[in-house]
Amino acid sequence: MKKIMLMSVLSSLLCGTAVCAEEVKPDNELSFNAAVTSDYRYRGISQTRLQPALQGGADYTNNPSGFYAGTWASTIKWTKDAGGSGDLEIDLYAGKRGEIVKDISYDVGVLTYVYPSNGLAVNANTTEIYGQLSYGPAYAKYSHAVTNLFGFAESKNSGYLDLGVNLDLDTGLVLNLHAGRQNVKNNSAATYTDWKIGVTKELWSINWAVAVIGTNADKLAYASPVNGKFLGKTALVASVSKNF
């Protein structure tokens, strides 16, 4: 479930001897992205039965106001594996981001995960509101479900806390560190912690990423109904993506 992982590329223009000016962005921007990943992990849990996924999306940003909206989609397997149907997740989101004071920024919004014709006993479609504070490369984000959460019965008001930092290294790599806590309302067996240690790098105008991802999720609660494999096991996940 995505996921939202939106990447911001900051650049500067060289002017004069040692003076640099920040690039002036247009008032309105429209961008697109496409990716392939060895395993679609969302909050540490595989959405594709530990198999690859194709992904892509589009984003609109109004730079003067900080308003943004977008959509993102991925192939999945979990809804069909859970006894329903469908092999696609579509995310729809909108929000506003900006700076509170120097080096401290915010991001607030709403995100709906849509699983077309999922057919599960408890509808998998989920809506969350979220808020994030960032200081330099570090951030803290909280997402709160205003509907049932991903097909769990009576799970409205579940929450997810996401803490992380993305550090630029001298080698041109970015070190990605993350820890999260998914609380599923009225379902302690489905509540768990996840983590990630990874690196990303832009090379040949393509974004390359590799990460070790794991959870302490209950192995029965998050076992694949198809083959019994643990969907939250520690594993190496690789992906390549392109922004247009």
Side-chain angles (χ1 to χ4, degrees):
M1 298 105 191
K2 170 170 168 314
K3 91 255 223 111
I4 306 169
M5 305 301 295
L6 298 177
M7 299 183 63
S8 296
V9 179
L10 300 180
S11 62
S12 59
L13 299 176
L14 184 64
C15 51
T17 55
V19 181
C20 291
E22 186 176 347
E23 180 184 5
V24 178
K25 294 184 177 182
D27 286 353
N28 298 288
E29 287 187 288
L30 182 63
S31 62
F32 302 89
N33 60 84
V36 59
T37 181
S38 62
D39 182 7
Y40 171 22
R41 291 287 184 111
Y42 188 62
R43 297 177 181 172
I45 303 298
S46 176
Q47 311 299 298
T48 50
R49 205 190 318 134
L50 307 174
Q51 296 179 14
L54 296 175
Q55 303 170 335
D59 294 284
Y60 163 77
T61 302
N62 178 262
N63 288 305
S65 67
F67 171 80
Y68 63 88
T71 184
W72 182 88
S74 178
T75 56
I76 61 169
K77 294 183 181 294
W78 76 269
T79 51
K80 187 175 292 185
D81 290 353
S85 60
D87 55 7
L88 184 66
E89 172 190 331
I90 301 173
D91 298 349
L92 305 171
Y93 49 88
K96 187 179 187 304
R97 61 173 70 96
E99 191 173 63
I100 301 174
V101 295
K102 182 176 172 57
D103 296 329
I104 299 180
S105 59
Y106 70 90
D107 184 354
V108 294
V110 60
L111 168 60
T112 295
Y113 310 81
V114 180
Y115 302 92
S117 306
N118 64 87
L120 296 179
V122 179
N123 196 335
N125 294 349
T126 300
T127 296
E128 293 182 327
I129 55 176
Y130 58 84
Q132 175 176 308
L133 287 175
S134 301
Y135 178 72
Y139 69 88
K141 179 179 180 180
Y142 178 74
S143 301
H144 187 84
V146 295
T147 64
N148 281 325
L149 184 76
F150 306 127
F152 288 106
E154 299 181 356
S155 58
K156 181 179 178 180
N157 294 321
S158 295
Y160 183 74
L161 179 62
D162 176 5
L163 304 175
V165 61
N166 299 300
L167 296 171
D168 287 319
L169 305 179
D170 292 338
T171 58
L173 296 172
V174 178
L175 176 65
N176 313 121
L177 303 175
H178 152 83
R181 179 68 175 176
Q182 177 69 74
N183 176 63
V184 182
K185 190 78 170 181
N186 299 315
N187 194 332
S188 59
T191 296
Y192 65 94
T193 299
D194 73 286
W195 56 271
K196 179 180 80 171
I197 302 174
V199 291
T200 57
K201 183 177 178 64
E202 183 179 352
L203 185 63
W204 306 312
S205 298
I206 296 175
N207 300 308
W208 306 81
V210 61
V212 178
I213 299 174
T215 76
N216 69 346
D218 185 280
K219 293 184 178 180
L220 293 178
Y222 290 97
S224 168
V226 173
N227 54 26
K229 290 185 178 180
F230 178 39
L231 300 177
K233 73 174 188 177
T234 300
L236 185 69
V237 177
S239 66
V240 292
S241 62
K242 172 74 173 177
N243 297 322
F244 305 93

